[in-house]
Amino acid sequence: MTLDSANKAPWHCAACGIPLEKAKVQIAYLGSAFPVDLLRCSRCGIVFIPEELALTRMAEAEKILEDK
Ligand SMILES: [Zn+2]
C-alpha cells in the first residue's frame, strides 16, 4: 500500500457500504454557517465528521468569528 492510497477516504457509509466522498457541507456554529470539506455519502447524504477534524474546524471557525 502506498502512502497515497492510504490517504484516500478510508471511510464507508455503514448503511450503503459505499465510499464516502468529499463534499462541501454547511456547518452551523455559534449562529453562523461555515462551508467545510467533509466526507459525505452520495447515496443517503449522511455526513461523517471525525471528532479531531470537527474540533480543528470549530477552532478555525472561532478564529474567523473573532476576526470579524
Ligand atoms: Zn449512505
Side-chain angles (χ1 to χ4, degrees), residues 24-55:
K24 282 270 190 210
V25 178
Q26 291 285 335
I27 297 286
Y29 183 68
L30 293 180
S32 297
F34 300 89
V36 177
D37 278 320
L38 291 178
L39 294 174
R40 189 181 66 177
C41 175
S42 59
R43 190 164 154 191
C44 70
I46 197 171
V47 176
F48 177 78
I49 305 177
E51 188 176 351
E52 189 177 337
L53 174 66
L55 291 174

PDB file of all heavy atoms in Angstrom, residues 24-55:
ATOM      1  N   LYS A  24     -18.569  19.715   0.127  1.00  0.00           N
ATOM      2  CA  LYS A  24     -18.732  20.940   0.921  1.00  0.00           C
ATOM      3  C   LYS A  24     -20.019  20.817   1.723  1.00  0.00           C
ATOM      4  O   LYS A  24     -21.088  20.610   1.168  1.00  0.00           O
ATOM      5  CB  LYS A  24     -18.811  22.147  -0.005  1.00  0.00           C
ATOM      6  CG  LYS A  24     -17.450  22.564  -0.526  1.00  0.00           C
ATOM      7  CD  LYS A  24     -16.801  23.583   0.393  1.00  0.00           C
ATOM      8  CE  LYS A  24     -15.555  24.154  -0.281  1.00  0.00           C
ATOM      9  NZ  LYS A  24     -14.540  24.545   0.661  1.00  0.00           N
ATOM     10  N   VAL A  25     -19.883  20.935   3.027  1.00  0.00           N
ATOM     11  CA  VAL A  25     -21.046  20.836   3.905  1.00  0.00           C
ATOM     12  C   VAL A  25     -21.127  22.094   4.760  1.00  0.00           C
ATOM     13  O   VAL A  25     -20.119  22.581   5.265  1.00  0.00           O
ATOM     14  CB  VAL A  25     -20.933  19.597   4.811  1.00  0.00           C
ATOM     15  CG1 VAL A  25     -22.116  19.510   5.760  1.00  0.00           C
ATOM     16  CG2 VAL A  25     -20.848  18.341   3.952  1.00  0.00           C
ATOM     17  N   GLN A  26     -22.320  22.616   4.883  1.00  0.00           N
ATOM     18  CA  GLN A  26     -22.507  23.800   5.722  1.00  0.00           C
ATOM     19  C   GLN A  26     -22.613  23.366   7.180  1.00  0.00           C
ATOM     20  O   GLN A  26     -23.466  22.575   7.533  1.00  0.00           O
ATOM     21  CB  GLN A  26     -23.787  24.543   5.314  1.00  0.00           C
ATOM     22  CG  GLN A  26     -23.699  25.201   3.947  1.00  0.00           C
ATOM     23  CD  GLN A  26     -22.848  26.458   3.936  1.00  0.00           C
ATOM     24  OE1 GLN A  26     -22.681  27.118   4.948  1.00  0.00           O
ATOM     25  NE2 GLN A  26     -22.305  26.794   2.772  1.00  0.00           N
ATOM     26  N   ILE A  27     -21.707  23.879   7.988  1.00  0.00           N
ATOM     27  CA  ILE A  27     -21.730  23.583   9.412  1.00  0.00           C
ATOM     28  C   ILE A  27     -22.273  24.791  10.161  1.00  0.00           C
ATOM     29  O   ILE A  27     -21.788  25.902   9.980  1.00  0.00           O
ATOM     30  CB  ILE A  27     -20.303  23.270   9.923  1.00  0.00           C
ATOM     31  CG1 ILE A  27     -19.775  22.009   9.238  1.00  0.00           C
ATOM     32  CG2 ILE A  27     -20.306  23.094  11.439  1.00  0.00           C
ATOM     33  CD1 ILE A  27     -20.382  20.729   9.733  1.00  0.00           C
ATOM     34  N   ALA A  28     -23.282  24.560  10.972  1.00  0.00           N
ATOM     35  CA  ALA A  28     -23.836  25.656  11.774  1.00  0.00           C
ATOM     36  C   ALA A  28     -23.117  25.696  13.109  1.00  0.00           C
ATOM     37  O   ALA A  28     -23.011  24.695  13.810  1.00  0.00           O
ATOM     38  CB  ALA A  28     -25.328  25.441  11.986  1.00  0.00           C
ATOM     39  N   TYR A  29     -22.597  26.870  13.437  1.00  0.00           N
ATOM     40  CA  TYR A  29     -21.850  27.004  14.676  1.00  0.00           C
ATOM     41  C   TYR A  29     -21.959  28.430  15.182  1.00  0.00           C
ATOM     42  O   TYR A  29     -21.704  29.383  14.446  1.00  0.00           O
ATOM     43  CB  TYR A  29     -20.377  26.620  14.448  1.00  0.00           C
ATOM     44  CG  TYR A  29     -19.541  26.655  15.707  1.00  0.00           C
ATOM     45  CD1 TYR A  29     -19.755  25.731  16.727  1.00  0.00           C
ATOM     46  CD2 TYR A  29     -18.549  27.613  15.872  1.00  0.00           C
ATOM     47  CE1 TYR A  29     -18.991  25.767  17.875  1.00  0.00           C
ATOM     48  CE2 TYR A  29     -17.779  27.648  17.020  1.00  0.00           C
ATOM     49  CZ  TYR A  29     -18.005  26.719  18.021  1.00  0.00           C
ATOM     50  OH  TYR A  29     -17.251  26.756  19.158  1.00  0.00           O
ATOM     51  N   LEU A  30     -22.341  28.584  16.403  1.00  0.00           N
ATOM     52  CA  LEU A  30     -22.470  29.908  17.014  1.00  0.00           C
ATOM     53  C   LEU A  30     -23.327  30.832  16.166  1.00  0.00           C
ATOM     54  O   LEU A  30     -23.029  32.009  15.998  1.00  0.00           O
ATOM     55  CB  LEU A  30     -21.089  30.528  17.230  1.00  0.00           C
ATOM     56  CG  LEU A  30     -20.204  29.825  18.266  1.00  0.00           C
ATOM     57  CD1 LEU A  30     -18.865  30.532  18.390  1.00  0.00           C
ATOM     58  CD2 LEU A  30     -20.887  29.770  19.620  1.00  0.00           C
ATOM     59  N   GLY A  31     -24.397  30.276  15.595  1.00  0.00           N
ATOM     60  CA  GLY A  31     -25.329  31.095  14.838  1.00  0.00           C
ATOM     61  C   GLY A  31     -24.877  31.427  13.428  1.00  0.00           C
ATOM     62  O   GLY A  31     -25.561  32.134  12.705  1.00  0.00           O
ATOM     63  N   SER A  32     -23.729  30.909  13.008  1.00  0.00           N
ATOM     64  CA  SER A  32     -23.252  31.155  11.654  1.00  0.00           C
ATOM     65  C   SER A  32     -23.041  29.827  10.944  1.00  0.00           C
ATOM     66  O   SER A  32     -22.871  28.799  11.584  1.00  0.00           O
ATOM     67  CB  SER A  32     -21.936  31.927  11.662  1.00  0.00           C
ATOM     68  OG  SER A  32     -22.118  33.198  12.250  1.00  0.00           O
ATOM     69  N   ALA A  33     -23.041  29.870   9.612  1.00  0.00           N
ATOM     70  CA  ALA A  33     -22.825  28.660   8.831  1.00  0.00           C
ATOM     71  C   ALA A  33     -21.479  28.750   8.123  1.00  0.00           C
ATOM     72  O   ALA A  33     -21.136  29.787   7.568  1.00  0.00           O
ATOM     73  CB  ALA A  33     -23.944  28.467   7.824  1.00  0.00           C
ATOM     74  N   PHE A  34     -20.731  27.659   8.178  1.00  0.00           N
ATOM     75  CA  PHE A  34     -19.432  27.636   7.539  1.00  0.00           C
ATOM     76  C   PHE A  34     -19.372  26.475   6.554  1.00  0.00           C
ATOM     77  O   PHE A  34     -19.754  25.360   6.902  1.00  0.00           O
ATOM     78  CB  PHE A  34     -18.319  27.446   8.571  1.00  0.00           C
ATOM     79  CG  PHE A  34     -18.285  28.545   9.599  1.00  0.00           C
ATOM     80  CD1 PHE A  34     -19.027  28.448  10.759  1.00  0.00           C
ATOM     81  CD2 PHE A  34     -17.511  29.678   9.390  1.00  0.00           C
ATOM     82  CE1 PHE A  34     -19.001  29.464  11.707  1.00  0.00           C
ATOM     83  CE2 PHE A  34     -17.482  30.693  10.332  1.00  0.00           C
ATOM     84  CZ  PHE A  34     -18.232  30.588  11.487  1.00  0.00           C
ATOM     85  N   PRO A  35     -18.887  26.729   5.331  1.00  0.00           N
ATOM     86  CA  PRO A  35     -18.675  25.622   4.397  1.00  0.00           C
ATOM     87  C   PRO A  35     -17.414  24.860   4.778  1.00  0.00           C
ATOM     88  O   PRO A  35     -16.352  25.450   4.930  1.00  0.00           O
ATOM     89  CB  PRO A  35     -18.520  26.316   3.042  1.00  0.00           C
ATOM     90  CG  PRO A  35     -18.005  27.680   3.364  1.00  0.00           C
ATOM     91  CD  PRO A  35     -18.529  28.031   4.750  1.00  0.00           C
ATOM     92  N   VAL A  36     -17.554  23.556   4.977  1.00  0.00           N
ATOM     93  CA  VAL A  36     -16.427  22.732   5.390  1.00  0.00           C
ATOM     94  C   VAL A  36     -16.357  21.503   4.501  1.00  0.00           C
ATOM     95  O   VAL A  36     -17.389  20.954   4.112  1.00  0.00           O
ATOM     96  CB  VAL A  36     -16.595  22.295   6.861  1.00  0.00           C
ATOM     97  CG1 VAL A  36     -15.449  21.376   7.284  1.00  0.00           C
ATOM     98  CG2 VAL A  36     -16.653  23.507   7.772  1.00  0.00           C
ATOM     99  N   ASP A  37     -15.149  21.107   4.151  1.00  0.00           N
ATOM    100  CA  ASP A  37     -14.973  19.879   3.373  1.00  0.00           C
ATOM    101  C   ASP A  37     -15.085  18.680   4.298  1.00  0.00           C
ATOM    102  O   ASP A  37     -14.254  18.494   5.175  1.00  0.00           O
ATOM    103  CB  ASP A  37     -13.599  19.875   2.690  1.00  0.00           C
ATOM    104  CG  ASP A  37     -13.622  20.685   1.410  1.00  0.00           C
ATOM    105  OD1 ASP A  37     -14.623  20.607   0.682  1.00  0.00           O
ATOM    106  OD2 ASP A  37     -12.645  21.383   1.139  1.00  0.00           O
ATOM    107  N   LEU A  38     -16.121  17.891   4.100  1.00  0.00           N
ATOM    108  CA  LEU A  38     -16.304  16.706   4.930  1.00  0.00           C
ATOM    109  C   LEU A  38     -16.597  15.506   4.050  1.00  0.00           C
ATOM    110  O   LEU A  38     -16.895  15.632   2.867  1.00  0.00           O
ATOM    111  CB  LEU A  38     -17.476  16.925   5.897  1.00  0.00           C
ATOM    112  CG  LEU A  38     -17.238  17.966   7.008  1.00  0.00           C
ATOM    113  CD1 LEU A  38     -18.495  18.109   7.845  1.00  0.00           C
ATOM    114  CD2 LEU A  38     -16.081  17.553   7.887  1.00  0.00           C
ATOM    115  N   LEU A  39     -16.525  14.320   4.662  1.00  0.00           N
ATOM    116  CA  LEU A  39     -16.843  13.101   3.930  1.00  0.00           C
ATOM    117  C   LEU A  39     -18.341  12.856   4.003  1.00  0.00           C
ATOM    118  O   LEU A  39     -18.925  12.820   5.075  1.00  0.00           O
ATOM    119  CB  LEU A  39     -16.074  11.922   4.523  1.00  0.00           C
ATOM    120  CG  LEU A  39     -14.558  12.021   4.357  1.00  0.00           C
ATOM    121  CD1 LEU A  39     -13.873  10.880   5.108  1.00  0.00           C
ATOM    122  CD2 LEU A  39     -14.173  11.987   2.894  1.00  0.00           C
ATOM    123  N   ARG A  40     -18.950  12.691   2.823  1.00  0.00           N
ATOM    124  CA  ARG A  40     -20.392  12.506   2.781  1.00  0.00           C
ATOM    125  C   ARG A  40     -20.744  11.335   1.876  1.00  0.00           C
ATOM    126  O   ARG A  40     -20.102  11.098   0.865  1.00  0.00           O
ATOM    127  CB  ARG A  40     -21.064  13.778   2.247  1.00  0.00           C
ATOM    128  CG  ARG A  40     -22.576  13.741   2.368  1.00  0.00           C
ATOM    129  CD  ARG A  40     -23.191  14.996   1.817  1.00  0.00           C
ATOM    130  NE  ARG A  40     -22.969  15.095   0.369  1.00  0.00           N
ATOM    131  CZ  ARG A  40     -23.459  16.072  -0.390  1.00  0.00           C
ATOM    132  NH1 ARG A  40     -24.148  17.034   0.144  1.00  0.00           N
ATOM    133  NH2 ARG A  40     -23.220  16.080  -1.679  1.00  0.00           N
ATOM    134  N   CYS A  41     -21.787  10.616   2.268  1.00  0.00           N
ATOM    135  CA  CYS A  41     -22.284   9.528   1.435  1.00  0.00           C
ATOM    136  C   CYS A  41     -23.152  10.139   0.347  1.00  0.00           C
ATOM    137  O   CYS A  41     -24.118  10.855   0.643  1.00  0.00           O
ATOM    138  CB  CYS A  41     -23.083   8.539   2.277  1.00  0.00           C
ATOM    139  SG  CYS A  41     -23.839   7.240   1.265  1.00  0.00           S
ATOM    140  N   SER A  42     -22.801   9.871  -0.910  1.00  0.00           N
ATOM    141  CA  SER A  42     -23.531  10.482  -2.020  1.00  0.00           C
ATOM    142  C   SER A  42     -24.896   9.827  -2.205  1.00  0.00           C
ATOM    143  O   SER A  42     -25.732  10.311  -2.950  1.00  0.00           O
ATOM    144  CB  SER A  42     -22.723  10.349  -3.316  1.00  0.00           C
ATOM    145  OG  SER A  42     -22.482   8.985  -3.606  1.00  0.00           O
ATOM    146  N   ARG A  43     -25.123   8.705  -1.513  1.00  0.00           N
ATOM    147  CA  ARG A  43     -26.383   7.991  -1.715  1.00  0.00           C
ATOM    148  C   ARG A  43     -27.437   8.398  -0.683  1.00  0.00           C
ATOM    149  O   ARG A  43     -28.551   8.757  -1.030  1.00  0.00           O
ATOM    150  CB  ARG A  43     -26.118   6.488  -1.622  1.00  0.00           C
ATOM    151  CG  ARG A  43     -27.305   5.656  -2.062  1.00  0.00           C
ATOM    152  CD  ARG A  43     -26.852   4.223  -2.312  1.00  0.00           C
ATOM    153  NE  ARG A  43     -27.929   3.278  -2.150  1.00  0.00           N
ATOM    154  CZ  ARG A  43     -27.758   1.966  -2.101  1.00  0.00           C
ATOM    155  NH1 ARG A  43     -26.535   1.463  -2.188  1.00  0.00           N
ATOM    156  NH2 ARG A  43     -28.771   1.164  -1.955  1.00  0.00           N
ATOM    157  N   CYS A  44     -27.079   8.349   0.610  1.00  0.00           N
ATOM    158  CA  CYS A  44     -28.067   8.683   1.639  1.00  0.00           C
ATOM    159  C   CYS A  44     -27.798  10.051   2.244  1.00  0.00           C
ATOM    160  O   CYS A  44     -28.638  10.576   2.971  1.00  0.00           O
ATOM    161  CB  CYS A  44     -28.097   7.601   2.722  1.00  0.00           C
ATOM    162  SG  CYS A  44     -26.626   7.557   3.756  1.00  0.00           S
ATOM    163  N   GLY A  45     -26.646  10.643   1.934  1.00  0.00           N
ATOM    164  CA  GLY A  45     -26.400  12.015   2.348  1.00  0.00           C
ATOM    165  C   GLY A  45     -25.870  12.163   3.766  1.00  0.00           C
ATOM    166  O   GLY A  45     -25.691  13.271   4.257  1.00  0.00           O
ATOM    167  N   ILE A  46     -25.586  11.031   4.440  1.00  0.00           N
ATOM    168  CA  ILE A  46     -25.057  11.124   5.801  1.00  0.00           C
ATOM    169  C   ILE A  46     -23.656  11.724   5.751  1.00  0.00           C
ATOM    170  O   ILE A  46     -22.896  11.489   4.810  1.00  0.00           O
ATOM    171  CB  ILE A  46     -25.035   9.729   6.477  1.00  0.00           C
ATOM    172  CG1 ILE A  46     -24.895   9.892   7.986  1.00  0.00           C
ATOM    173  CG2 ILE A  46     -23.904   8.882   5.936  1.00  0.00           C
ATOM    174  CD1 ILE A  46     -25.087   8.589   8.752  1.00  0.00           C
ATOM    175  N   VAL A  47     -23.339  12.533   6.736  1.00  0.00           N
ATOM    176  CA  VAL A  47     -22.033  13.201   6.779  1.00  0.00           C
ATOM    177  C   VAL A  47     -21.219  12.629   7.926  1.00  0.00           C
ATOM    178  O   VAL A  47     -21.709  12.499   9.047  1.00  0.00           O
ATOM    179  CB  VAL A  47     -22.199  14.722   6.967  1.00  0.00           C
ATOM    180  CG1 VAL A  47     -20.842  15.389   7.114  1.00  0.00           C
ATOM    181  CG2 VAL A  47     -22.974  15.311   5.793  1.00  0.00           C
ATOM    182  N   PHE A  48     -19.982  12.264   7.620  1.00  0.00           N
ATOM    183  CA  PHE A  48     -19.106  11.745   8.654  1.00  0.00           C
ATOM    184  C   PHE A  48     -18.190  12.854   9.127  1.00  0.00           C
ATOM    185  O   PHE A  48     -17.460  13.456   8.345  1.00  0.00           O
ATOM    186  CB  PHE A  48     -18.283  10.570   8.112  1.00  0.00           C
ATOM    187  CG  PHE A  48     -17.313  10.039   9.132  1.00  0.00           C
ATOM    188  CD1 PHE A  48     -17.751   9.211  10.149  1.00  0.00           C
ATOM    189  CD2 PHE A  48     -15.971  10.378   9.070  1.00  0.00           C
ATOM    190  CE1 PHE A  48     -16.863   8.727  11.094  1.00  0.00           C
ATOM    191  CE2 PHE A  48     -15.075   9.889  10.020  1.00  0.00           C
ATOM    192  CZ  PHE A  48     -15.527   9.065  11.025  1.00  0.00           C
ATOM    193  N   ILE A  49     -18.217  13.160  10.410  1.00  0.00           N
ATOM    194  CA  ILE A  49     -17.367  14.206  10.977  1.00  0.00           C
ATOM    195  C   ILE A  49     -16.451  13.588  12.021  1.00  0.00           C
ATOM    196  O   ILE A  49     -16.870  13.299  13.128  1.00  0.00           O
ATOM    197  CB  ILE A  49     -18.204  15.319  11.631  1.00  0.00           C
ATOM    198  CG1 ILE A  49     -19.220  15.873  10.631  1.00  0.00           C
ATOM    199  CG2 ILE A  49     -17.293  16.426  12.151  1.00  0.00           C
ATOM    200  CD1 ILE A  49     -20.129  16.930  11.227  1.00  0.00           C
ATOM    201  N   PRO A  50     -15.182  13.347  11.638  1.00  0.00           N
ATOM    202  CA  PRO A  50     -14.233  12.840  12.628  1.00  0.00           C
ATOM    203  C   PRO A  50     -14.101  13.844  13.758  1.00  0.00           C
ATOM    204  O   PRO A  50     -14.059  15.050  13.515  1.00  0.00           O
ATOM    205  CB  PRO A  50     -12.915  12.733  11.849  1.00  0.00           C
ATOM    206  CG  PRO A  50     -13.302  12.809  10.409  1.00  0.00           C
ATOM    207  CD  PRO A  50     -14.583  13.586  10.342  1.00  0.00           C
ATOM    208  N   GLU A  51     -14.042  13.351  14.977  1.00  0.00           N
ATOM    209  CA  GLU A  51     -14.001  14.249  16.125  1.00  0.00           C
ATOM    210  C   GLU A  51     -12.818  15.208  16.029  1.00  0.00           C
ATOM    211  O   GLU A  51     -12.921  16.397  16.298  1.00  0.00           O
ATOM    212  CB  GLU A  51     -13.902  13.428  17.413  1.00  0.00           C
ATOM    213  CG  GLU A  51     -14.048  14.280  18.661  1.00  0.00           C
ATOM    214  CD  GLU A  51     -14.036  13.427  19.912  1.00  0.00           C
ATOM    215  OE1 GLU A  51     -14.078  12.203  19.806  1.00  0.00           O
ATOM    216  OE2 GLU A  51     -13.969  14.005  20.995  1.00  0.00           O
ATOM    217  N   GLU A  52     -11.686  14.682  15.595  1.00  0.00           N
ATOM    218  CA  GLU A  52     -10.480  15.504  15.503  1.00  0.00           C
ATOM    219  C   GLU A  52     -10.671  16.626  14.490  1.00  0.00           C
ATOM    220  O   GLU A  52     -10.346  17.779  14.735  1.00  0.00           O
ATOM    221  CB  GLU A  52      -9.297  14.624  15.106  1.00  0.00           C
ATOM    222  CG  GLU A  52      -7.962  15.349  15.197  1.00  0.00           C
ATOM    223  CD  GLU A  52      -6.819  14.411  14.859  1.00  0.00           C
ATOM    224  OE1 GLU A  52      -6.993  13.188  14.993  1.00  0.00           O
ATOM    225  OE2 GLU A  52      -5.777  14.908  14.443  1.00  0.00           O
ATOM    226  N   LEU A  53     -11.253  16.278  13.338  1.00  0.00           N
ATOM    227  CA  LEU A  53     -11.496  17.269  12.302  1.00  0.00           C
ATOM    228  C   LEU A  53     -12.502  18.300  12.790  1.00  0.00           C
ATOM    229  O   LEU A  53     -12.341  19.495  12.584  1.00  0.00           O
ATOM    230  CB  LEU A  53     -12.043  16.576  11.046  1.00  0.00           C
ATOM    231  CG  LEU A  53     -12.484  17.542   9.935  1.00  0.00           C
ATOM    232  CD1 LEU A  53     -11.290  18.300   9.380  1.00  0.00           C
ATOM    233  CD2 LEU A  53     -13.192  16.784   8.826  1.00  0.00           C
ATOM    234  N   ALA A  54     -13.544  17.832  13.449  1.00  0.00           N
ATOM    235  CA  ALA A  54     -14.577  18.740  13.936  1.00  0.00           C
ATOM    236  C   ALA A  54     -13.976  19.751  14.901  1.00  0.00           C
ATOM    237  O   ALA A  54     -14.255  20.942  14.815  1.00  0.00           O
ATOM    238  CB  ALA A  54     -15.688  17.945  14.619  1.00  0.00           C
ATOM    239  N   LEU A  55     -13.130  19.283  15.781  1.00  0.00           N
ATOM    240  CA  LEU A  55     -12.517  20.184  16.757  1.00  0.00           C
ATOM    241  C   LEU A  55     -11.629  21.196  16.054  1.00  0.00           C
ATOM    242  O   LEU A  55     -11.625  22.381  16.381  1.00  0.00           O
ATOM    243  CB  LEU A  55     -11.705  19.370  17.770  1.00  0.00           C
ATOM    244  CG  LEU A  55     -12.548  18.505  18.709  1.00  0.00           C
ATOM    245  CD1 LEU A  55     -11.636  17.635  19.558  1.00  0.00           C
ATOM    246  CD2 LEU A  55     -13.418  19.370  19.597  1.00  0.00           C
TER     247      LEU A  55
END
